[in-house]
Amino acid sequence: MGIDSFCSLDGSDPFWDWNRTWQTHNPDLTPCFQNTVLVWIPCLYLWLFAPFYILYLKRNDRGYICMTHLNRAKTVIGFTLWLICWADVFYSFWERSHGAAIAPVYLVSPTMLGVTMVRPGFHKRKFSCFLPASVNVFKYTTFYIYYTMLLISLILACLSDQPPLFSQAVKDSNPCPESGASFLSRITFWWITGLMVTGYKRPLEEKDLWSLNTEDKSQRVVPQLVRRWDQECNKVKRPVDKTLYSPKRAARGEKKDGQPIEESEILLAKTLQKTGEPSLFCALCRTFGPYFLVSSLYKIIHDILMFVGPEILRLLIQFVNDSSAPTWHGYFYTTLLFVCTCVQTLILQKYFHVCFVTGMRLRTAIVGAVYRKALVITNAARRTSTVGEIVNLMSVDAQRFMDLITYINMIWSAPLQVILALYFLWQNLGPSVLAGVAVMVLMVPVNAVIAMKTKTYQVAQMKSKDNRIKLMNEVLNGIKVLKLYAWELAFKDKVSAIRESELRVLKKTAYLGAVSTFTWVCAPFLVALSTFAVYVLMDEHNILDAQKAFVSLALFNILRFPLNMLPMVISSMVQASVSMKRLRVFLSHEELDEDNVERPAITACEIVDGAFSWSKDDSPTLKRIHVRIPEGALVAVVGHVGSGKSSLLSALLGEMQKQEGSVSIKGSVAYVPQQAWIQNATLKDNILFGRDAKDSWYQKVVEACALLPDLEILPGGDLTEIGEKGVNLSGGQKQRVSVARAIYCNCAVYLLDDPLSAVDAHVGKHIFEKVIGPQGLLQGRTRVLVTHGLSFLPQADLILVMVDGEITEMGSYTELLGRQGAFAEFLRTYTNTEQEEVEESVGGEAGLLISELLSCFHASKAKSTEAARLTEADKANTGRVKLSVFWEYMKAIGLPLSIFSIFLFFCHHLSSLGSNYWLSLWTDDPVINNTQPNREMRLGVYGALGLTQGIAVFCYSVAVSVGGILASRYLHQTMLYNVLRSPMSFFERTPSGNLVNRFAKETDTIDSVIPSIIKMFMGSMFNVLGSCAVILIATPLVAIIIPPLGLLYFFVQRFYVASSRQLKRLESVSRSPVYTHFNETLLGTSVIRAFGEQQRFIRESDGRVDHNQKAYFPSIVANRWLAVRLEFVGNCIVAFAALFAVMARDSLSPGIMGLSISYALQVTTYLNWLVRMSSELETNIVAVEKVKEYGDTEKEAEWRLEHSTLPAGWPTTGHIEIRNFGLRYREDLELAISDISVNIEGGEKVGIVGRTGAGKSSLTLGLFRIIEAAQGEICVDGVNIAELGLHELRSRITIIPQVPHLNTPKQCWGKLLLKVMHYNISLLRKKVTNYITKLLFMGSNNGIKYLARALLRKTKILVLDEATAAVDLETDNLIQSTIRTQFEDCTVLTIAHRLNTIMDYTRVLVLDKGQMAEFDSPSNLTAKKGIFYKMAKDSGLV
């Protein structure tokens, strides 16, 4: 039985009839086609995919369905539709039973439909139903009821159900609405509209952001990549037999000289050896490939749909030429064009969504992997990667991957598009298209050379950038020293020199970019020109009519995109390959061996025959270490600076490379490093360190560590936020917090690296008695204490004496004294020298920091949350980016260059429009004797217009790029200058992560991103204006529709930008904490590892990355939301251009119609790019706004005054007169010191003493004008220092500060050493001179470096701020004797830490509560029996 007889018994209802469907003025489908194809195809589709759907439901069972009103309505309507289908079936059977002749199709199709309708959810699809030729009242009624119900069902299907009961989404306070969105909502991105409306009404805030989807979170994404990377690493390692020789003492037998004979035991061990480099690319592909493949499917569909447009254009031109064609054909083509462009839009946006989500996950994974790796790499590996480089891996390199992911599919998609375009062009123009192919082939090597060159420049630029960020990190970390020594300009020049080399590379890249842009823009035109030229010149009968020209032009325009994109993708791949190599190298770094320390051990700590170095290739730093520490013992480690005491603790922690021997530790470990590591958190959080709060134990710890007085002083008590690196604590306070953290953790073994050196002697004694000593909180625990304090040694159970990396003596205090060895000699020499300064107030270190600021709060006791906060988070600006920001950028480029660039853009687009208009006139030329006259002239003018276009493109590309570099240089220099001119209070408030972010990410945006965005924005804008002009010229009726569409476009764009801009700002603000935390972690890795807190820090980092992605995810979805709506506007323009052309087909020439529609086809892309670029421009110009904001912050006084009358050798005598002097730390605070009047003659040595908060450091801050005077004045040699430039003042007086940070540039060391030798050689023994030299090169004690700097400057005034607190006694003596001899004729002001150092000074200034209490010679003050006498008595000096 044939299909015709299946549809009608007499065969009168054919399956298909062209005369009925196409060649008629009133078209219709045959009933047979309606009742078979339109019913069966949806049913077959459902049955085919039913198994997959069931599988999906089983896999994604999220809980019980909520029976809401919506759910009930859907169920009722679905059931009603099912009943109607079966009613039709039963009615057909009823008719048949009553003798009516019914064709089989009227029984089979309804039955098939009815059975299919049983499947739940079927009613969500829309289907055609059937209606016999003769009207049947029953079927007529069911037909319309069915369709009404179907439409209602479709509308209901657009509304999403509530999440199931007990699902994860219900528990989430602000879940992402994507998972609960309906199909239509998902494909049109309607589900984000709620957030967009909120963003339009008011600026978005953090609380408005949704939670991340589970599959996008770090805890899901990062372990996947780490696991795959580990697999890749294991692939390239193969086991190798390695022979080890283990020295073994013989039981019997000695050499003749009495030495035991050594034997060697040969051990065979399996070790893993690398056979190649692991592939990060493979690891990334295996992790993200499966999800990313979905995007490839979308891309294929989109690429095929792209060629539907030109084909419909061909049919439309054919329709205009054929006056006999029915009018509905034109309307049908217009509708088809509109539907195809809309489907294309939806598919493309889904493709981009998948790409961007993959990119986001990729960044999360890379940042997480880098963070995890940074926690475990060895110290040798750390030296090869600076903090700047590792931060760049997380920011710049991870970003490169994100950018590439979006366009990586173009690698295969671009060739596919080119092949399809060439196929259709061949159909259109025949072999002449080969000329165009030849041009394209010639372009490939040009682009390849450009890409290779770009890679070279890329590597060079990244190297410069790393160096610059590294130096900026050093500058920001040591900013106080920079200011005290007036080194800002020297370091500014150093940073600027690196920046200039970076900009030179950028300039070369810009010229390459201009050549590249020239080839991109001109390639499609050259292809078109060569193809048309060959076509018309090959045969004079070849006529270039509208159909051939404009269909070809539309295809050439399609061709333009892959040709434009391919070089861009290649260069992006080149950049990503550089980044991938950097990442691979970092992730392949050697990790600390967990087996370095064996656990559990038999005794508390044991090292057997140990030799340790900082890297595999170094010679051992520690050698022949053999020590066993019993449980519960207090072990003191003593030795000179650089003898290896700290290294011994590092070896016990497993931080060093174990070359020989074994290390074992029993139980948990707590570690206090020499330089206290403090987190940017509250003081309480620093002590708790992730442990649960136990109030009674916490109070004991705080009391034992002498922190109670400090908590009284701090504005928010223990809830005071401690700034980065503990900027608002003195050195001693930081060290005590560090000790408190260790005690609170309640561990079995305590490794204490000289924690008592940074605190006052009295406090040190208190901490030793209450914490470390035999009766302290840690009694019964194993304690290893590195110390320079000799008074603690008698209480130690065991003393280890270290010399040059070896333990030379070991034993109890009395044993070692009895041996009369090096230890006994050491003690005899220095016992008399060590004096204790005991202050009444416990907790009395006053560093050159802001502890006086804290004491001011003591009076008010204002323990508010606000007062407790110190650092300022990066703020997100709100509202539109001000036009002034754009104006600032234009001024930075230079106004003439900006205007010239705009003029060149205009020339380029004018010539482009001219060439296409000329082509339309050419195609409309009359055909005489099968030829077109004037074709050579037409071709010549067409070519000339193309040449003009090329020249304009090249010129504007160079102009914009060079302008961008000029702006970049100016903005960076201005920011650098403004930051260096900021006062210290600015750096204490601003986290260094924010500043590094400005110099890294924001500067990179200004360097690379903004110029290219400006080019694309200007290009898109002129393209849109040009397209609208052409469409208006061709079909003036479009003028009716363009204004409302323009308004809609503008509204959608503004609606979007309000949210997008704010999301970008929120994302930018939440990015800084990621880097700040990472910087902080890198500085404290040894502490984190010692306490075993890696997982907590990893969770914290993951949380911060997720927090950042919470703002990034809505911004990428908002882009898709916008694109769908804007492309819809573009699609409407295409549809209306075609519609009005169809309506006016009698008055339109085919050439003008072809021109109009080919431009209309492009308008969607142009509109899309215009909005994307305008929003990108607005969101990226925020970088300029952020860089400029430091210009508005408060600044210090001028560095140098223009008309300075200062004599060249000032100060000549060093006479200091302080008159009624006072200062305050902030405008709203009380005076920290007041009414101080002192007269110090030149050459006097003055000691400054006082209790905590007395104002000792405030006085020196005032002398250096780190804080300006609030009252009175200071005169040096009769000159009021307030009237000098800061550099004039600071460069003429010298300070040896308490917390040294910055390393002097290497080239200075030679000169420095010569000076040091010159000053010392006649005064000190050669041995001591060699010792200084050794110390300078080892860099083991920063105080020595600062002393050397002071010697080098040799100014008349020297200020010492607790300079000898953290050195051993021999070094202390060296420093003191150098000061007495070398600065004999200088005025020396010393903030005394050990009272004995100032007992021979000329006079002593005693401060109390910010005022002068006493000022006289030490002997007179002792006689007066005032505050100084009491302090001297406590120290045992009187």
Side-chain angles (χ1 to χ4, degrees):
M1 180 171 67
I3 190 78
D4 289 354
S5 54
F6 176 74
C7 290
S8 58
L9 296 174
D10 56 358
S12 61
D13 185 5
F15 177 71
W16 188 256
D17 183 359
W18 283 106
N19 292 324
R20 189 170 179 177
T21 53
W22 190 249
Q23 292 150 5
T24 174
H25 289 279
N26 188 19
D28 194 8
L29 292 169
T30 63
C32 181
F33 185 84
Q34 290 180 48
N35 291 326
T36 52
V37 173
L38 297 188
V39 175
W40 295 355
I41 285 178
C43 292
L44 286 170
Y45 160 77
L46 281 170
W47 284 109
L48 200 63
F49 286 96
F52 301 105
Y53 186 54
I54 291 162
L55 198 67
Y56 169 80
L57 288 175
K58 272 195 173 300
R59 287 252 178 106
N60 292 273
D61 181 12
R62 294 202 224 135
Y64 298 100
I65 294 169
C66 284
M67 282 307 286
T68 57
H69 291 303
L70 176 66
N71 200 285
R72 291 190 185 95
K74 286 180 180 179
T75 310
V76 168
I77 287 173
F79 185 67
T80 311
L81 284 166
W82 180 73
L83 285 177
I84 292 168
C85 282
W86 281 105
D88 272 345
V89 174
F90 292 131
Y91 183 73
S92 297
F93 278 107
W94 180 79
E95 278 189 316
R96 193 166 185 176
S97 65
H98 283 71
I102 299 284
V105 72
Y106 292 111
L107 297 171
V108 172
S109 291
T111 309
M112 190 177 182
L113 193 58
V115 171
T116 306
M117 286 292 277
V118 173
R119 269 195 78 257
F122 172 82
H123 58 275
K124 290 184 186 177
R125 276 83 179 175
K126 182 176 175 180
F127 297 110
S128 175
C129 204
F130 34 85
L131 195 63
S134 54
V135 175
N136 179 308
V137 178
F138 179 79
K139 289 194 174 178
Y140 189 79
T141 309
T142 56
F143 176 85
Y144 280 106
I145 293 171
Y146 186 86
Y147 264 96
T148 308
M149 289 287 192
L150 208 55
L151 285 170
I152 295 167
S153 178
L154 181 68
I155 292 160
L156 290 178
C158 296
L159 306 171
S160 58
D161 296 305
Q162 282 188 8
L165 295 169
F166 315 119
S167 78
Q168 197 59 43
V170 177
K171 297 173 194 170
D172 204 330
S173 57
N174 193 7
C176 177
E178 183 184 13
S179 55
S182 63
F183 173 71
L184 273 179
S185 176
R186 280 188 179 213
I187 62 168
T188 58
F189 297 94
W190 184 261
W191 52 271
I192 194 187
T193 309
L195 189 71
M196 305 292 281
V197 171
T198 309
Y200 186 68
K201 286 178 181 172
R202 61 171 173 80
L204 287 172
E205 295 166 32
E206 217 171 87
K207 66 174 190 293
D208 299 316
L209 303 176
W210 316 307
S211 303
L212 271 183
N213 290 321
T214 314
E215 53 272 19
D216 298 332
K217 286 184 180 173
S218 297
Q219 64 190 51
R220 173 77 68 87
V221 176
V222 183
Q224 290 176 351
L225 178 63
V226 171
R227 190 174 68 251
R228 298 268 156 66
W229 170 248
D230 289 343
Q231 288 168 2
E232 288 299 319
C233 291
N234 293 333
K235 275 185 195 173
V236 296
K237 288 178 183 171
R238 59 185 171 82
V240 177
D241 284 337
K242 188 179 177 184
T243 311
L244 298 173
Y245 295 93
S246 172
K248 182 184 173 190
R249 290 271 167 95
R252 291 186 180 81
E254 289 185 352
K255 295 184 190 173
K256 287 179 183 174
D257 58 358
Q259 292 292 319
I261 299 166
E262 280 203 354
E263 291 179 4
S264 285
E265 243 185 342
I266 298 176
L267 305 171
L268 280 175
K270 289 271 185 192
T271 61
L272 291 171
Q273 188 177 316
K274 258 190 175 183
T275 56
E277 292 297 339
S279 169
L280 180 60
F281 179 71
C282 288
L284 291 170
C285 286
R286 289 172 61 202
T287 310
F288 303 106
Y291 178 74
F292 187 64
L293 278 175
V294 177
S295 70
S296 304
L297 180 68
Y298 286 132
K299 190 76 179 120
I300 290 171
I301 298 167
H302 172 259
D303 287 357
I304 292 164
L305 282 172
M306 279 175 78
F307 293 94
V308 174
E311 198 55 30
I312 295 172
L313 174 62
R314 185 179 67 78
L315 294 168
L316 273 167
I317 294 172
Q318 197 175 303
F319 165 75
V320 170
N321 283 333
D322 180 11
S323 53
S324 64
T327 314
W328 72 266
H329 281 194
Y331 297 126
F332 172 73
Y333 294 142
T334 303
T335 310
L336 192 61
L337 188 62
F338 180 67
V339 170
C340 283
T341 48
C342 285
V343 171
Q344 198 177 326
T345 295
L346 296 176
I347 294 281
L348 181 65
Q349 298 321 315
K350 279 302 284 182
Y351 159 74
F352 275 132
H353 182 61
V354 172
C355 286
F356 276 108
V357 169
T358 308
M360 182 180 86
R361 290 178 187 173
L362 188 68
R363 175 174 173 254
T364 300
I366 287 171
V367 170
V370 167
Y371 187 87
R372 283 157 173 75
K373 185 72 180 184
L375 282 175
V376 293
I377 60 172
T378 60
N379 288 284
R382 171 63 52 78
R383 288 207 293 268
T384 61
S385 295
T386 64
V387 173
E389 282 173 5
I390 302 173
V391 169
N392 268 347
L393 288 177
M394 294 181 86
S395 57
V396 181
D397 295 316
Q399 191 64 43
R400 293 248 156 87
F401 277 107
M402 284 179 75
D403 296 342
L404 176 66
I405 281 288
T406 323
Y407 300 112
I408 189 80
N409 274 322
M410 289 305 294
I411 285 296
W412 59 263
S413 171
L416 174 70
Q417 288 179 26
V418 169
I419 290 164
L420 286 171
L422 290 175
Y423 168 76
F424 286 111
L425 281 165
W426 186 282
Q427 298 291 315
N428 214 24
L429 297 172
S432 54
V433 83
L434 293 173
V437 175
V439 172
M440 279 192 284
V441 170
L442 285 172
M443 291 292 176
V444 171
V446 177
N447 284 326
V449 170
I450 290 171
M452 282 164 66
K453 272 287 180 195
T454 308
K455 179 174 182 176
T456 314
Y457 293 149
Q458 185 70 35
V459 175
Q461 191 202 336
M462 287 305 286
K463 195 174 178 185
S464 295
K465 188 181 290 173
D466 285 345
N467 289 337
R468 181 167 58 80
I469 300 300
K470 177 185 173 186
L471 185 60
M472 277 313 301
N473 256 319
E474 279 185 26
V475 167
L476 295 170
N477 287 340
I479 190 72
K480 176 167 281 176
V481 176
L482 244 74
K483 290 195 171 297
L484 290 169
Y485 280 79
W487 281 344
E488 293 102 326
L489 282 171
F491 276 88
K492 176 176 173 285
D493 293 342
K494 207 174 170 194
V495 172
S496 299
I498 298 173
R499 178 72 179 149
E500 281 306 311
S501 68
E502 195 181 338
L503 289 175
R504 277 196 295 277
V505 176
L506 267 174
K507 194 174 275 186
K508 288 176 187 172
T509 313
Y511 292 138
L512 266 185
V515 176
S516 190
T517 307
F518 173 76
T519 58
W520 297 351
V521 176
C522 292
F525 180 81
L526 287 173
V527 170
L529 179 66
S530 55
T531 306
F532 290 156
V534 170
Y535 181 72
V536 296
L537 296 175
M538 194 166 63
D539 185 352
E540 62 177 15
H541 295 302
N542 279 352
I543 294 160
L544 195 66
D545 59 10
Q547 189 173 316
K548 283 191 172 66
F550 288 106
V551 171
S552 302
L553 212 58
L555 289 166
F556 286 137
N557 283 330
I558 288 175
L559 204 53
R560 176 179 296 192
F561 184 71
L563 290 181
N564 284 1
M565 286 303 297
L566 209 49
M568 193 169 125
V569 172
I570 290 167
S571 77
S572 190
M573 283 182 75
V574 165
Q575 289 181 8
S577 70
V578 171
S579 294
M580 191 177 288
K581 187 181 175 189
R582 285 156 55 90
L583 274 165
R584 180 177 55 72
V585 167
F586 180 76
L587 292 174
S588 303
H589 274 327
E590 198 175 357
E591 296 182 7
L592 285 169
D593 187 357
E594 289 180 7
D595 300 330
N596 274 348
V597 179
E598 294 166 21
R599 296 166 193 264
I602 301 160
T603 58
C605 303
E606 186 176 23
I607 302 178
V608 180
D609 297 329
F612 304 90
S613 64
W614 286 110
S615 78
K616 275 184 177 175
D617 308 323
D618 292 358
S619 56
T621 309
L622 300 176
K623 45 197 178 293
R624 292 189 282 281
I625 302 289
H626 194 98
V627 64
R628 175 175 292 179
I629 298 168
E631 279 185 61
L634 168 56
V635 179
V637 183
V638 295
H640 293 305
V641 171
S643 59
K645 303 184 296 295
S646 297
S647 298
L648 180 67
L649 297 194
S650 294
L652 283 168
L653 287 168
E655 295 282 316
M656 293 182 78
Q657 193 72 43
K658 184 172 68 179
Q659 294 189 347
E660 289 175 26
S662 66
V663 183
S664 56
I665 283 189
K666 187 176 183 181
S668 54
V669 178
Y671 171 56
V672 179
Q674 196 169 7
Q675 288 284 325
W677 175 68
I678 303 294
Q679 286 183 273
N680 181 197
T682 64
L683 190 135
K684 187 170 186 176
D685 287 342
N686 266 292
I687 295 173
L688 296 182
F689 205 53
R691 305 305 204 263
D692 294 333
K694 296 172 187 165
D695 286 341
S696 57
W697 176 239
Y698 175 75
Q699 287 305 322
K700 276 185 191 172
V701 169
V702 170
E703 195 177 336
C705 292
L707 281 166
L708 284 176
D710 300 282
L711 296 186
E712 287 294 310
I713 291 169
L714 289 167
D718 60 2
L719 297 177
T720 303
E721 186 193 352
I722 308 303
E724 272 190 84
K725 305 185 190 77
V727 291
N728 50 335
L729 295 180
S730 71
Q733 286 169 329
K734 282 193 275 193
Q735 198 58 273
R736 282 180 287 129
V737 170
S738 186
V739 171
R741 172 203 295 149
I743 304 165
Y744 189 82
C745 288
N746 219 348
C747 297
V749 178
Y750 285 81
L751 304 178
L752 311 166
D753 192 355
D754 203 9
L756 305 179
S757 63
V759 298
D760 288 342
H762 183 111
V763 183
K765 192 173 179 184
H766 173 93
I767 291 175
F768 188 83
E769 286 171 3
K770 299 283 185 184
V771 178
I772 303 166
Q775 305 306 314
L777 280 180
L778 299 181
Q779 60 177 322
R781 308 292 167 86
T782 309
R783 293 141 288 162
V784 181
L785 171 70
V786 170
T787 184
H788 292 130
L790 306 183
S791 59
F792 306 130
L793 300 182
Q795 297 180 59
D797 302 319
L798 181 68
I799 297 170
L800 309 178
V801 183
M802 296 203 69
V803 178
D804 292 334
E806 293 186 43
I807 298 175
T808 55
E809 290 184 89
M810 189 190 313
S812 69
Y813 185 77
T814 47
E815 280 173 21
L816 292 177
L817 269 182
R819 283 183 200 164
Q820 295 297 314
F823 178 73
E825 178 66 30
F826 178 76
L827 277 183
R828 273 197 295 276
T829 312
Y830 291 109
T831 305
N832 299 330
T833 330
E834 190 194 51
Q835 301 291 342
E836 293 180 74
E837 175 192 351
V838 180
E839 298 188 0
E840 264 192 2
S841 162
V842 171
E845 317 76 31
L848 190 59
L849 292 153
I850 58 170
S851 43
E852 268 78 26
L853 162 63
L854 305 171
S855 68
C856 300
F857 282 109
H858 185 38
S860 62
K861 298 273 185 187
K863 304 211 169 178
S864 65
T865 318
E866 278 306 303
R869 288 199 59 74
L870 173 84
T871 51
E872 292 176 355
D874 216 348
K875 291 188 186 72
N877 294 325
T878 55
R880 289 189 64 170
V881 176
K882 296 183 183 72
L883 285 172
S884 59
V885 179
F886 292 96
W887 180 244
E888 284 289 344
Y889 188 72
M890 279 183 78
K891 280 200 297 188
I893 292 172
L895 289 178
L897 189 59
S898 302
I899 293 162
F900 182 59
S901 301
I902 293 167
F903 172 71
L904 286 171
F905 270 107
F906 180 72
C907 291
H908 163 233
H909 285 88
L910 196 66
S911 56
S912 173
L913 273 177
S915 64
N916 285 331
Y917 184 67
W918 185 260
L919 186 66
S920 77
L921 294 177
W922 181 0
T923 59
D924 286 339
D925 275 355
V927 178
I928 302 163
N929 296 330
N930 247 2
T931 59
Q932 277 175 319
N934 307 326
R935 62 184 178 171
E936 285 82 2
M937 182 267 287
R938 292 285 193 196
L939 192 60
V941 173
Y942 187 61
L945 286 165
L947 185 66
T948 315
Q949 208 173 318
I951 293 165
V953 166
F954 184 75
C955 293
Y956 83 60
S957 190
V958 170
V960 171
S961 299
V962 170
I965 288 165
L966 292 174
S968 226
R969 177 187 284 125
Y970 170 76
L971 290 167
H972 182 272
Q973 283 297 88
T974 314
M975 174 168 68
L976 182 60
Y977 180 72
N978 283 332
V979 166
L980 292 175
R981 280 283 318 279
S982 298
M984 272 312 299
S985 55
F986 167 80
F987 295 97
E988 283 156 3
R989 281 197 316 271
T990 314
S992 64
N994 294 8
L995 290 164
V996 171
N997 202 7
R998 299 288 183 276
F999 283 98
K1001 186 82 177 79
E1002 316 298 357
T1003 303
D1004 186 54
T1005 302
I1006 294 168
D1007 286 349
S1008 318
V1009 182
I1010 292 178
S1012 62
I1013 284 178
I1014 286 174
K1015 272 194 276 193
M1016 289 193 268
F1017 170 74
M1018 295 297 289
S1020 304
M1021 188 174 76
F1022 278 111
N1023 276 331
V1024 168
L1025 294 173
S1027 299
C1028 288
V1030 167
I1031 296 167
L1032 282 168
I1033 291 165
T1035 48
L1037 271 175
V1038 176
I1040 305 164
I1041 213 70
I1042 280 184
L1045 283 176
L1047 279 171
L1048 176 64
Y1049 173 85
F1050 181 76
F1051 171 72
V1052 166
Q1053 199 243 13
R1054 291 312 327 153
F1055 189 78
Y1056 156 80
V1057 167
S1059 299
S1060 167
R1061 182 183 51 232
Q1062 201 58 24
L1063 286 168
K1064 183 85 173 178
R1065 281 172 174 160
L1066 287 169
E1067 193 265 331
S1068 177
V1069 166
S1070 61
R1071 196 190 311 123
S1072 294
V1074 175
Y1075 303 142
T1076 304
H1077 180 249
F1078 187 55
N1079 263 324
E1080 194 174 82
T1081 304
L1082 286 173
L1083 294 170
T1085 43
S1086 56
V1087 177
I1088 295 165
R1089 286 196 287 256
F1091 282 91
E1093 287 289 316
Q1094 295 96 318
Q1095 287 310 312
R1096 181 168 67 83
F1097 275 80
I1098 286 170
R1099 282 197 301 276
E1100 171 69 16
S1101 173
D1102 285 353
R1104 290 184 184 217
V1105 172
D1106 287 349
H1107 188 67
N1108 178 229
Q1109 301 290 37
K1110 261 171 71 172
Y1112 177 72
F1113 179 68
S1115 70
I1116 59 176
V1117 180
N1119 277 334
R1120 306 282 65 80
W1121 178 93
L1122 172 80
V1124 167
R1125 278 137 195 83
L1126 287 190
E1127 287 200 16
F1128 177 74
V1129 172
N1131 296 341
C1132 288
I1133 292 175
V1134 175
F1136 282 113
L1139 181 69
F1140 292 133
V1142 167
M1143 287 163 68
R1145 68 166 168 162
D1146 299 329
S1147 58
L1148 263 187
S1149 74
I1152 292 292
M1153 183 193 182
L1155 180 70
S1156 167
I1157 294 172
S1158 61
Y1159 263 98
L1161 281 171
Q1162 285 173 277
V1163 91
T1164 312
T1165 312
Y1166 294 152
L1167 279 174
N1168 207 355
W1169 271 100
L1170 178 61
V1171 170
R1172 189 188 289 185
M1173 287 308 121
S1174 61
S1175 66
E1176 284 282 312
L1177 183 62
E1178 195 166 344
T1179 45
N1180 280 294
I1181 208 86
V1182 169
V1184 175
E1185 186 181 34
K1186 281 180 176 293
V1187 164
K1188 292 292 290 181
E1189 75 186 14
Y1190 290 141
D1192 305 327
T1193 51
E1194 57 175 325
K1195 297 287 174 281
E1196 288 184 308
E1198 288 299 323
W1199 283 336
R1200 292 194 184 279
L1201 301 178
E1202 281 182 31
H1203 308 294
S1204 177
T1205 54
L1206 198 65
W1210 180 90
T1212 49
T1213 58
H1215 172 254
I1216 302 171
E1217 188 179 356
I1218 302 173
R1219 301 183 197 137
N1220 195 31
F1221 185 75
L1223 58 78
R1224 57 166 59 91
Y1225 283 84
R1226 277 207 323 247
E1227 288 301 317
D1228 55 339
L1229 298 176
E1230 296 293 316
L1231 288 171
I1233 53 173
S1234 60
D1235 305 321
I1236 292 183
S1237 297
V1238 177
N1239 195 0
I1240 300 168
E1241 296 300 328
E1244 273 197 282
K1245 308 289 180 283
V1246 176
I1248 302 170
V1249 296
R1251 300 189 175 92
T1252 299
K1256 304 189 294 289
S1257 289
S1258 297
L1259 197 56
T1260 51
L1261 291 173
L1263 181 61
F1264 281 86
R1265 285 176 63 196
I1266 295 290
I1267 297 172
E1268 297 288 354
Q1271 64 176 48
E1273 61 186 23
I1274 299 177
C1275 293
V1276 175
D1277 283 3
V1279 178
N1280 184 350
I1281 63 167
E1283 293 167 5
L1284 298 177
L1286 290 180
H1287 281 189
E1288 290 170 326
L1289 169 67
R1290 291 171 186 170
S1291 60
R1292 309 289 179 93
I1293 54 179
T1294 303
I1295 185 167
I1296 298 179
Q1298 183 194 27
V1299 187
H1301 264 301
L1302 212 78
N1303 287 322
T1304 308
K1306 284 177 187 166
Q1307 58 267 39
C1308 296
W1309 281 120
K1311 204 196 311 180
L1312 194 71
L1313 282 166
L1314 285 171
K1315 290 264 185 182
V1316 173
M1317 296 297 184
H1318 175 71
Y1319 288 131
N1320 282 293
I1321 203 145
S1322 59
L1323 300 152
L1324 300 167
R1325 299 193 312 275
K1326 189 169 184 291
K1327 179 184 148 194
V1328 179
T1329 310
N1330 289 341
Y1331 186 55
I1332 273 204
T1333 311
K1334 180 182 167 190
L1335 285 174
L1336 282 168
F1337 276 116
M1338 283 170 60
S1340 59
N1341 186 285
N1342 282 312
I1344 299 273
K1345 291 182 185 178
Y1346 280 86
L1347 176 64
R1349 283 173 185 157
L1351 287 168
L1352 186 58
R1353 291 176 84 149
K1354 201 78 169 82
T1355 56
K1356 279 290 175 188
I1357 298 173
L1358 174 69
V1359 179
L1360 285 91
D1361 179 35
E1362 299 184 348
T1364 63
V1367 293
D1368 60 20
L1369 295 164
E1370 188 176 339
T1371 314
D1372 188 4
N1373 277 352
L1374 177 61
I1375 290 173
Q1376 291 300 332
S1377 62
T1378 307
I1379 288 165
R1380 285 188 186 95
T1381 52
Q1382 295 308 308
F1383 297 95
E1384 197 173 2
D1385 58 341
C1386 299
T1387 307
V1388 178
L1389 305 179
T1390 301
I1391 294 179
H1393 187 85
R1394 293 171 174 149
L1395 270 187
N1396 67 293
T1397 59
I1398 58 158
M1399 288 307 281
D1400 59 344
Y1401 274 29
T1402 323
R1403 286 191 284 176
V1404 174
L1405 171 64
V1406 183
L1407 295 175
D1408 187 38
K1409 294 176 184 170
Q1411 294 185 320
M1412 185 175 80
E1414 299 171 353
F1415 185 47
D1416 210 333
S1417 66
S1419 54
N1420 289 352
L1421 289 177
T1422 310
K1424 282 181 187 172
K1425 300 203 171 179
I1427 298 174
F1428 182 76
Y1429 170 77
K1430 196 173 180 198
M1431 291 169 72
K1433 190 180 177 187
D1434 286 344
S1435 298
L1437 295 173
V1438 290

